[in-house]
Amino acid sequence: GLHIGTMALFPGNNTMMLSDTSVATPLVAATVATMLPANPSLTPPMVKAIFQYCAQPLANANLLQQGAGLFNTQGAVDLASALQKDIALPFEKSRLKIGDTLLRNGAAIPAPQTVLNGQTISWSLMVTAGGSYVFTGSDLFRKLQSFHDPELSWVRGRVTRTEAIYSTSSGALLHYRENNAASIVLVTSGVKSLTASLGITSYNAKSGAFTPTTTLLMRALNGAGTTLAQGIIIAEGVVIAEGIVIAEGIVLSESAQTITSSANEWTVWREP
């Protein structure tokens, strides 16, 4: 059976509005089934990022209530179709390198809106990554990003890579192992971070996780956010980000800084 979270009947057009995961699941699956023929090289994280970036922000709902917004099937297919269609899998064997153009020849990032039945739907222009980062900007899809890699796990300050272990004799899969990721750029330069603009989480102030998604969209459209000059990088599995450094789950600083490492010790120099 179908579990219905809410149902409303619009007068005059006999259209039902349904919600809840059991309703969303087949719609998402159907959209993925439409996207992959248009671009079979998309990875699961890329599909997720496209969904978020093209979503329609709904008024009076915050990040915890709606995430990036309402699902936009047409927008997701349009953006997927603009990307290169021969990104080899597995990801690390791709002919593309992190930061290389992800657009196919002659293509451009679509205008950030979708027109359906004469109604213009604005995209959210946001992508969440790492569990606590919010990014914006067309470079999220104009360039290949490390967090598009399905074998990479990025949770706040820790980044690991999943490795499949096979038997040397039979070639059978034995198990999976997670290792600290090597030094890589997680998010390339040119991408904008909206994380700092969220502020401290407060329900009354509508900030942090309670920030309305439409507010974030307006900030993105008005050029808010910090453009990453060097991207977000990691070393030995620990995130070294522009403006934020996390070690053992503790935020050390939120100002511009330079990081060096020696064994397991981290030294932070603040820029004046």
Side-chain angles (χ1 to χ4, degrees):
L2 183 65
H3 174 69
I4 300 176
T6 60
M7 183 174 69
L9 186 64
F10 291 93
N13 61 10
N14 297 324
T15 300
M16 288 192 301
M17 178 181 292
L18 307 177
S19 69
D20 219 326
T21 53
S22 51
V23 177
T25 299
L27 295 177
V28 171
T31 298
V32 174
T34 304
M35 294 170 66
L36 291 183
N39 192 334
S41 66
L42 297 177
T43 66
M46 292 173 73
V47 170
K48 178 182 177 181
I50 289 172
F51 284 169
Q52 293 177 329
Y53 195 79
C54 300
Q56 177 189 6
L58 301 179
N60 304 317
N62 59 50
L63 290 172
L64 290 181
Q65 294 170 317
Q66 70 170 331
L70 189 66
F71 200 64
N72 179 359
T73 299
Q74 185 62 58
V77 174
D78 289 345
L79 181 51
S81 300
L83 306 182
Q84 295 197 42
K85 302 178 181 180
D86 58 348
I87 306 169
L89 295 178
F91 195 83
E92 65 271 15
K93 294 182 180 180
S94 171
R95 64 178 179 80
L96 299 176
K97 304 302 180 186
I98 303 303
D100 284 354
T101 180
L102 199 54
L103 294 172
R104 58 181 175 80
N105 290 337
I109 298 293
Q113 59 189 29
T114 301
V115 179
L116 293 175
N117 295 326
Q119 179 184 3
T120 300
I121 298 171
S122 296
W123 295 1
S124 76
L125 304 182
M126 61 169 280
V127 169
T128 59
S132 56
Y133 293 87
V134 181
F135 299 106
T136 188
S138 60
D139 274 7
L140 286 164
F141 302 99
R142 196 183 305 277
K143 300 177 182 178
L144 186 65
Q145 308 290 334
S146 284
F147 69 86
H148 293 158
D149 186 348
E151 295 183 352
L152 204 68
S153 176
W154 177 16
V155 181
R156 293 201 168 187
R158 303 298 295 183
V159 183
T160 59
R161 187 180 296 280
T162 301
E163 177 186 8
I165 306 300
Y166 296 91
S167 169
T168 55
S169 56
S170 66
L173 176 64
L174 299 177
H175 58 86
Y176 291 92
R177 180 173 60 199
E178 280 196 332
N179 304 311
N180 281 346
S183 298
I184 59 174
V185 176
L186 283 167
V187 184
T188 65
S189 60
V191 172
K192 280 192 173 183
S193 173
L194 291 171
T195 308
S197 72
L198 295 176
I200 299 173
T201 295
S202 167
Y203 179 79
N204 291 331
K206 296 183 178 181
S207 59
F210 295 108
T211 302
T213 306
T214 49
T215 298
L216 274 181
L217 171 59
M218 292 308 300
R219 290 175 185 173
L221 291 174
N222 291 328
T226 303
T227 301
L228 302 176
Q230 296 179 335
I232 291 183
I233 64 173
I234 64 169
E236 302 302 325
V238 179
V239 171
I240 305 175
E242 291 187 343
I244 182 171
V245 177
I246 304 178
E248 302 302 328
I250 300 175
V251 176
L252 301 180
S253 177
E254 293 184 355
S255 61
Q257 52 211 274
T258 302
I259 312 297
T260 63
S261 65
S262 175
N264 291 321
E265 298 180 0
W266 296 85
T267 305
V268 179
W269 283 274
R270 289 179 181 270
E271 293 183 0

